[in-house]
Amino acid sequence: RLDASKMNRALYLSTPDPDVADLQLTGVNIAQSMQQQIGGSVAPIDLLVIDSLAKAYYDLYVHLKESQREYENYFGLRDYYSLIKGIVRDTIIVKDKDKLYGIIRKQLKINFDGAYDGSQYLWEQFCNYINRRNIIAQYKCPPFNHLLDQTLRIRSGRYLMLIADNDSAIDYVERYINVHQQRQKNVVRTIVGSSFSGDLSSENAYAEDYNYRVSMDIIHYAETPITLIMRQMGHLYDNLYDLFNQNFAVSARKKYCRIALGAHYQPRCLIHDDFYCIVFIHKRDLDQYDSPFLNRFEKHTIDIQTLIHERHWLLSRQLYGWLENCLPNNLGSNFPLLQHLFV
């Protein structure tokens, strides 16, 4: 916030939050721009669809502001822009108008998921605005494993943020991603924030030389066709906003962005076309991150149930049942417990 003396010396431009008309105009322009780039005989998306999506997004914005204050800034305009782009991209690929509503339902889940699932609210509002409430239950959103597999396969959308309740879920999904990418012959690298005292300048701050080393590693990886996984790197995410934004400068058919190295040096870095980034964060830490950071990602909460094969669930249930049968049931409610059975 600027004081009065500074305000008097500058031209002050205030940009209010967009209303429904602004959202509709932006959505139409995004769709028309993408269709013009493709060219050919691409059928334009019905204006009613874009207008209804804009109204549904605005309703969600108001709903979160009034009823879900803790998630007020969880979604943003980047999620809405990405929704329109995803719908246009999929309709161009599929070229079947009968599958439009299925595409919209899937893209809502892709762009408005995570710690708060806004996709169901948006879908119901959208169906209301197009007067098709009968299709609300007809189209189901894809499960987490399908969304994850598609994102890792296509690698052309926004970078991925996976939200977990604990480290074991993150470890499992990281192994899952490694196996998935090896099948596609993609290399995976993981960077984990250090917990060694020598890398810390104070209790909650990392030393400048450590940040510099890690940033140089990220710059090196971004030049190659790898999948980069980041964990516990909150101290560096502010330096990578231009990378996460994916609004790359293009020169000689090569993509570039700026990555901050320290306070005064922001070199222009080469980004490989097949580079892809995945960020893991804990659900308990969500409120520590700024909304512009959250809005830059496709967000999903990890659902382990969908990643594990049914046979493994059956085996684990049998094993758990066997363990419970080993417990004597007449000694008390606090002893012995399952953890007391084995040394």
Side-chain angles (χ1 to χ4, degrees):
R1 296 181 180 275
L2 302 178
D3 57 45
S5 62
K6 292 187 179 69
M7 293 283 285
N8 293 337
R9 289 172 169 80
L11 175 64
Y12 176 64
L13 178 63
S14 177
T15 308
D17 291 331
D19 57 19
V20 175
D22 294 328
L23 294 170
Q24 291 171 340
L25 179 61
T26 307
V28 169
N29 285 333
I30 289 173
Q32 290 177 348
S33 174
M34 292 184 68
Q35 288 161 347
Q36 287 171 3
Q37 289 175 9
I38 299 296
S41 57
V42 179
I45 294 181
D46 190 345
L47 289 179
L48 175 64
V49 170
I50 295 179
D51 290 351
S52 301
L53 287 170
K55 292 176 183 176
Y57 171 76
Y58 190 80
D59 289 347
L60 176 67
Y61 169 76
V62 173
H63 172 70
L64 294 179
K65 202 169 186 178
E66 294 178 350
S67 306
Q68 300 284 342
R69 295 301 295 273
E70 67 270 27
Y71 296 110
E72 180 181 355
N73 297 313
Y74 184 67
F75 299 119
L77 287 172
R78 285 186 180 87
D79 298 305
Y80 171 70
Y81 300 153
S82 180
L83 168 68
I84 301 296
K85 290 176 183 177
I87 292 171
V88 175
R89 192 185 306 116
D90 283 359
T91 52
I92 290 171
I93 294 171
V94 174
K95 297 179 181 178
D96 185 352
K97 281 193 171 184
D98 294 336
K99 295 184 179 179
L100 176 61
Y101 294 129
I103 289 172
I104 292 173
R105 185 66 187 94
K106 184 183 75 171
Q107 285 296 331
L108 286 172
K109 185 66 175 176
I110 288 173
N111 292 287
F112 290 90
D113 192 23
Y116 179 86
D117 184 2
S119 66
Q120 183 63 33
Y121 181 89
L122 283 166
W123 175 240
E124 292 178 4
Q125 294 299 105
F126 170 75
C127 293
N128 285 336
Y129 284 120
I130 62 172
N131 295 318
R132 295 286 301 274
R133 286 195 60 84
N134 58 304
I135 66 172
I136 289 179
Q138 183 178 340
Y139 294 94
K140 302 294 184 182
C141 58
F144 170 72
N145 60 323
H146 289 184
L147 294 171
L148 181 60
D149 290 346
Q150 174 186 298
T151 301
L152 294 174
R153 186 177 66 255
I154 297 176
R155 300 166 67 92
S156 61
R158 293 189 293 174
Y159 294 148
L160 187 61
M161 175 185 288
L162 296 178
I163 303 165
D165 292 321
N166 50 58
D167 281 319
S168 61
I170 294 177
D171 293 338
Y172 191 92
V173 176
E174 187 179 339
R175 288 196 299 272
Y176 180 90
I177 292 171
N178 271 280
V179 172
H180 185 282
Q181 292 294 277
Q182 285 171 8
R183 288 178 189 151
Q184 295 188 318
K185 299 182 179 177
N186 292 325
V187 180
V188 179
R189 292 288 181 268
T190 301
I191 298 180
V192 183
S194 173
S195 57
F196 294 117
S197 58
D199 293 327
L200 299 169
S201 60
S202 64
E203 185 177 347
N204 297 317
Y206 284 91
E208 188 172 343
D209 59 336
Y210 170 76
N211 286 340
Y212 186 88
R213 287 200 313 272
V214 175
S215 298
M216 288 301 298
D217 287 341
I218 294 171
I219 291 172
H220 169 70
Y221 289 139
E223 296 174 353
T224 60
I226 71 164
T227 301
L228 178 63
I229 296 174
M230 297 187 192
R231 297 176 57 172
Q232 302 170 28
M233 300 287 291
H235 58 288
L236 272 184
Y237 292 148
D238 287 353
N239 299 347
L240 304 173
Y241 269 25
D242 204 24
L243 173 67
F244 295 150
N245 203 34
Q246 294 179 276
N247 188 20
F248 303 121
V250 180
S251 176
R253 297 184 180 180
K254 294 183 178 179
K255 298 188 294 189
Y256 296 89
C257 78
R258 295 197 177 276
I259 295 178
L261 291 174
H264 307 292
Y265 184 42
Q266 295 186 354
R268 204 167 79 136
C269 308
L270 177 66
I271 308 297
H272 196 281
D273 288 340
D274 292 327
F275 171 77
Y276 195 75
C277 182
I278 301 172
V279 173
F280 284 105
I281 65 173
H282 284 278
K283 190 173 182 179
R284 64 175 181 269
D285 298 330
L286 266 179
D287 57 350
Q288 300 176 12
Y289 295 105
D290 296 329
S291 55
F293 172 70
L294 298 174
N295 298 160
R296 280 168 163 80
F297 291 90
E298 174 186 332
K299 302 176 284 291
H300 299 292
T301 300
I302 293 173
D303 181 7
I304 291 292
Q305 297 267 357
T306 63
L307 298 180
I308 300 176
H309 194 279
E310 180 59 32
R311 178 172 174 272
H312 296 161
W313 281 116
L314 179 62
L315 288 172
S316 68
R317 285 194 293 268
Q318 290 175 349
L319 180 60
Y320 194 79
W322 175 76
L323 288 172
E324 287 194 316
N325 288 334
C326 293
L327 279 177
N329 54 16
N330 56 354
L331 295 181
S333 58
N334 296 320
F335 183 87
L337 301 174
L338 283 178
Q339 60 263 38
H340 300 139
L341 288 180
F342 301 95
V343 177

